[in-house]
């Protein structure tokens, strides 16, 4: 049940953001920049990190949503669950495993991150920009997971993935999905007023 009586019994992120629209637009611009801009990590890898961090936080809404996005960008089904079970045996490129280990520690014990943790990422061939991209994704999803869980969003894409607004693997159509989502929220808020 949502924490806010004004939300429906089965609350989606859209319900929460329409109810509290004040900072939605800058948030969507930032998320779009973090997940969709050119980077050292591919969009698929960043979406995989988003789904992974959300899975670590047991945020069913974000975990399910970003797993769908990751698959749309070419990540095989089941990879997120493999990572959550055991990074070392997960069917991902060995170069990514130090990034996921870093994200796991950052997500659970951020004050325990050490230069040695970063060095493992660098030793795998990644540069500082790639590591910071991973850190940004983890940070964004710690924020979003807490907004979703704190607001009581209880809709889960695991129950019905066809409800996801992105049903295409057309990468151009997905390029600005967060900006389009922000505009959708603004339209719903305007209609409500």
């Amino acid at each position: 049940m949502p924490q806010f009586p004004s939300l429906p019994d089965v609350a989606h992120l859209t319900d929460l953001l329409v109810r509290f629209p004040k900072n939605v637009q800058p948030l969507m611009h930032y998320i779009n920049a973090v997940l969709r801009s050119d980077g050292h990590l591919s969009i698929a890898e960043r979406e995989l990190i988003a789904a992974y961090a959300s899975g670590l936080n047991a945020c069913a809404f974000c975990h399910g949503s970003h797993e769908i996005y990751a698959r749309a960008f070419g990540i095989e089904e089941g990879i997120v669950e493999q990572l959550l079970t055991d990074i070392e045996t997960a069917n991902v490129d060995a170069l990514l495993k130090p990034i996921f280990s870093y994200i796991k520690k950052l997500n659970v014990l951020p004050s325990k991150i050490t230069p040695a943790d970063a060095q493992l990422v660098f030793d795998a061939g990644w540069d500082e920009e790639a590591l910071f991209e991973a850190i940004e994704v983890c940070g964004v999803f710690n924020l979003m997971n807490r907004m979703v869980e704190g607001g009581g969003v209880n809709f889960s894409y695991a129950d019905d993935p066809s409800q996801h607004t992105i049903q295409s693997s057309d990468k151009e159509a997905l390029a600005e999905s967060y900006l389009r989502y922000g505009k959708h929220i603004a339209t719903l808020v305007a209609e409500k007023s």
Side-chain angles (χ1 to χ4, degrees), residues 78-97:
I79 295 296
V80 178
E81 297 312 316
Q82 290 176 23
L83 286 164
L84 290 167
T85 301
D86 182 10
I87 293 169
E88 290 309 312
T89 62
N91 188 24
V92 296
D93 189 322
L95 296 175
L96 287 170
K97 291 179 181 187

Side-chain angles (χ1 to χ4, degrees), residues 145-161:
N145 297 163
R146 280 144 182 83
M147 285 176 58
V148 163
E149 295 299 324
V153 170
N154 56 0
F155 178 89
S156 174
Y157 287 110
D159 297 334
D160 188 0

Side-chain angles (χ1 to χ4, degrees), residues 61-90:
F61 179 84
C62 292
H63 174 80
S65 179
H66 293 279
E67 190 166 15
I68 290 169
Y69 274 124
R71 284 198 313 264
F73 281 99
I75 300 295
E76 291 178 33
E77 189 166 348
I79 295 296
V80 178
E81 297 312 316
Q82 290 176 23
L83 286 164
L84 290 167
T85 301
D86 182 10
I87 293 169
E88 290 309 312
T89 62

Side-chain angles (χ1 to χ4, degrees), residues 104-193:
K104 182 176 184 177
K105 189 172 183 181
L106 177 64
N107 201 72
V108 178
L109 296 166
S111 66
K112 300 296 183 188
I113 288 287
T114 68
D117 297 311
Q119 192 60 51
L120 291 173
V121 175
F122 303 143
D123 289 347
W126 297 101
D127 60 18
E128 290 181 355
E129 285 79 10
L131 179 55
F132 190 71
E133 288 173 10
I135 291 166
E136 277 187 304
V137 174
C138 182
V140 164
F141 282 90
N142 273 274
L143 166 70
M144 289 306 299
N145 297 163
R146 280 144 182 83
M147 285 176 58
V148 163
E149 295 299 324
V153 170
N154 56 0
F155 178 89
S156 174
Y157 287 110
D159 297 334
D160 188 0
S162 70
Q163 293 296 311
H164 200 284
T165 57
I166 300 304
Q167 294 302 318
S168 166
S169 61
D170 177 1
K171 291 171 183 57
E172 282 187 39
L174 300 175
E176 294 188 345
S177 54
Y178 299 101
L179 297 178
R180 282 197 312 278
Y181 183 62
K183 289 176 185 173
H184 174 66
I185 297 297
T187 300
L188 293 174
V189 169
E191 290 172 357
K192 193 174 156 186
S193 298

